[in-house]
Amino acid sequence: MTSANAALRAAVHDALAADSGLHALLGGKRVYDEPPRGALLPYVSIGEARVTDSSVDEGPTQEHQITLHARSRQGGQSEAHAIAGAVLQALDDAPLTLTAHRLVNFRFAVADIRRESDGRTYHAQVRFRAVTEPTT
């Protein structure tokens, strides 16, 4: 992946780790790049990324798609929906600061919430689209 993608992932993590409303829903600062083995539910993790070149005449730009995952076992789908909503509120069009890159925009794309095969866990996937350009 690119340094812009790494900077974007770090900025997303920092924004979620600083969001007190999300912490209240999660029962603490349970935001992970990679959830630890045996992580307590609920939690949010930063998942898949896709980066494409979207350069134009004005200079190099990249389009990013980033997926956040929330997993929950309480209250049926309602907790998963609430966590997905908090992630959306914290990040949609957020003025994230990226190292060595400028964030042109960061927007919500789609969310999916479903029950996992264990019949107890709900999994919310919240996807965002971002555009970055280098600052140098």
Coordinates of all heavy atoms in Angstrom, one line a residue, residues 15-31 42 44 79 81-90:
A15 N -8.9 9.5 15.1 CA -10.2 10.2 15.2 C -11.2 9.3 16.0 O -11.9 9.8 16.9 CB -10.8 10.5 13.8
L16 N -11.2 8.0 15.7 CA -12.1 7.1 16.5 C -11.6 6.9 17.9 O -12.5 6.9 18.8 CB -12.2 5.8 15.8 CG -12.9 5.8 14.4 CD1 -12.8 4.4 13.8 CD2 -14.3 6.3 14.5
A17 N -10.3 6.9 18.1 CA -9.8 6.7 19.5 C -10.1 7.9 20.3 O -10.1 7.8 21.6 CB -8.3 6.4 19.4
A18 N -10.3 9.1 19.7 CA -10.6 10.3 20.5 C -12.1 10.6 20.7 O -12.4 11.6 21.3 CB -9.9 11.5 19.8
D19 N -12.9 9.7 20.1 CA -14.4 10.0 20.1 C -15.0 9.4 21.4 O -15.2 8.2 21.5 CB -15.0 9.4 18.9 CG -16.4 9.9 18.7 OD1 -17.3 9.3 19.4 OD2 -16.7 10.9 18.0
S20 N -15.4 10.3 22.3 CA -16.0 9.9 23.6 C -17.4 9.2 23.4 O -17.7 8.3 24.2 CB -16.1 11.0 24.6 OG -16.9 12.0 24.1
G21 N -18.1 9.6 22.5 CA -19.4 9.0 22.2 C -19.3 7.6 21.8 O -20.0 6.7 22.2
L22 N -18.3 7.3 20.9 CA -18.0 5.9 20.5 C -17.5 5.1 21.6 O -18.0 4.0 21.8 CB -17.0 5.9 19.3 CG -16.6 4.6 18.8 CD1 -17.9 3.8 18.2 CD2 -15.6 4.7 17.7
H23 N -16.7 5.7 22.5 CA -16.1 4.9 23.6 C -17.3 4.5 24.6 O -17.2 3.4 25.1 CB -15.2 5.8 24.4 CG -14.0 6.2 23.7 ND1 -13.1 7.2 24.1 CD2 -13.5 5.8 22.5 CE1 -12.2 7.4 23.2 NE2 -12.4 6.5 22.2
A24 N -18.3 5.4 24.7 CA -19.4 5.1 25.6 C -20.2 3.8 25.1 O -20.5 3.0 25.8 CB -20.3 6.3 25.7
L25 N -20.4 3.8 23.8 CA -21.0 2.6 23.2 C -20.2 1.4 23.2 O -20.8 0.3 23.4 CB -21.4 2.9 21.7 CG -22.5 3.9 21.4 CD1 -22.5 4.3 20.0 CD2 -23.8 3.4 21.9
L26 N -18.9 1.5 23.1 CA -18.0 0.3 23.1 C -17.6 -0.1 24.5 O -17.1 -1.2 24.7 CB -16.7 0.7 22.4 CG -16.9 1.0 20.9 CD1 -15.5 1.3 20.3 CD2 -17.5 -0.2 20.1
G27 N -17.9 0.7 25.5 CA -17.5 0.4 26.9 C -16.0 0.6 27.1 O -15.4 0.0 28.0
G28 N -15.4 1.5 26.4 CA -14.0 1.8 26.5 C -13.4 2.1 25.1 O -14.1 2.2 24.1
K29 N -12.1 2.3 25.1 CA -11.4 2.6 23.9 C -11.0 1.3 23.1 O -9.9 0.9 23.0 CB -10.1 3.4 24.2 CG -10.4 4.8 24.7 CD -9.1 5.6 24.9 CE -9.4 6.9 25.4 NZ -8.2 7.8 25.6
R30 N -12.1 0.7 22.6 CA -11.9 -0.6 21.8 C -11.9 -0.3 20.3 O -12.8 -0.8 19.6 CB -13.0 -1.5 22.2 CG -12.9 -1.9 23.7 CD -14.0 -2.9 24.0 NE -14.1 -3.1 25.4 CZ -15.2 -3.5 26.0 NH1 -16.3 -3.8 25.3 NH2 -15.2 -3.7 27.3
V31 N -10.9 0.4 19.9 CA -10.7 0.7 18.5 C -9.4 0.1 18.1 O -8.3 0.5 18.7 CB -10.8 2.2 18.1 CG1 -10.5 2.5 16.7 CG2 -12.1 2.8 18.6
P42 N -18.3 -5.1 22.5 CA -18.2 -4.7 21.2 C -16.8 -4.0 20.9 O -16.2 -3.5 21.9 CB -19.3 -3.7 21.0 CG -19.5 -3.1 22.3 CD -19.2 -4.2 23.3
V44 N -14.5 -1.9 17.4 CA -14.3 -1.4 16.0 C -12.9 -1.7 15.6 O -12.0 -1.5 16.3 CB -14.6 0.1 15.9 CG1 -14.3 0.6 14.5 CG2 -16.1 0.4 16.3
E79 N -27.4 -2.5 18.8 CA -26.1 -2.1 19.3 C -25.2 -1.9 18.0 O -24.4 -0.9 17.9 CB -25.4 -3.0 20.3 CG -24.1 -2.5 20.8 CD -23.5 -3.4 21.9 OE1 -23.2 -4.6 21.5 OE2 -23.3 -2.9 23.0
H81 N -26.1 -1.2 15.0 CA -26.5 0.0 14.3 C -26.1 1.2 15.0 O -25.6 2.2 14.4 CB -28.1 0.0 14.2 CG -28.6 -0.8 13.1 ND1 -28.7 -0.4 11.8 CD2 -29.1 -2.1 13.0 CE1 -29.2 -1.3 11.0 NE2 -29.4 -2.4 11.7
A82 N -26.1 1.2 16.3 CA -25.7 2.4 17.1 C -24.2 2.7 16.9 O -23.8 3.8 16.7 CB -26.0 2.2 18.6
I83 N -23.4 1.6 16.9 CA -22.0 1.7 16.8 C -21.6 2.2 15.3 O -20.8 3.1 15.2 CB -21.2 0.4 17.1 CG1 -21.4 0.1 18.6 CG2 -19.8 0.5 16.7 CD1 -21.0 -1.3 19.0
A84 N -22.3 1.6 14.3 CA -22.1 2.1 13.0 C -22.5 3.6 12.8 O -21.7 4.3 12.2 CB -22.9 1.2 12.0
G85 N -23.5 4.0 13.5 CA -23.9 5.4 13.4 C -22.9 6.3 14.1 O -22.6 7.4 13.6
A86 N -22.3 5.8 15.2 CA -21.3 6.6 15.9 C -20.0 6.8 15.0 O -19.4 7.8 15.0 CB -21.0 6.0 17.2
V87 N -19.7 5.7 14.3 CA -18.5 5.7 13.4 C -18.8 6.7 12.3 O -18.0 7.5 12.0 CB -18.2 4.3 12.9 CG1 -17.2 4.4 11.7 CG2 -17.7 3.4 14.0
L88 N -20.0 6.6 11.7 CA -20.4 7.5 10.7 C -20.3 9.0 11.1 O -19.8 9.9 10.5 CB -21.8 7.2 10.2 CG -22.4 8.1 9.1 CD1 -21.5 8.1 7.8 CD2 -23.7 7.6 8.7
Q89 N -20.9 9.2 12.3 CA -20.9 10.6 12.8 C -19.5 11.1 13.1 O -19.2 12.3 12.9 CB -21.7 10.7 14.1 CG -21.9 12.1 14.7 CD -22.8 12.1 15.8 OE1 -23.5 11.1 16.2 NE2 -22.9 13.3 16.4
A90 N -18.6 10.3 13.6 CA -17.2 10.7 13.9 C -16.4 10.9 12.7 O -15.5 11.8 12.7 CB -16.5 9.6 14.7

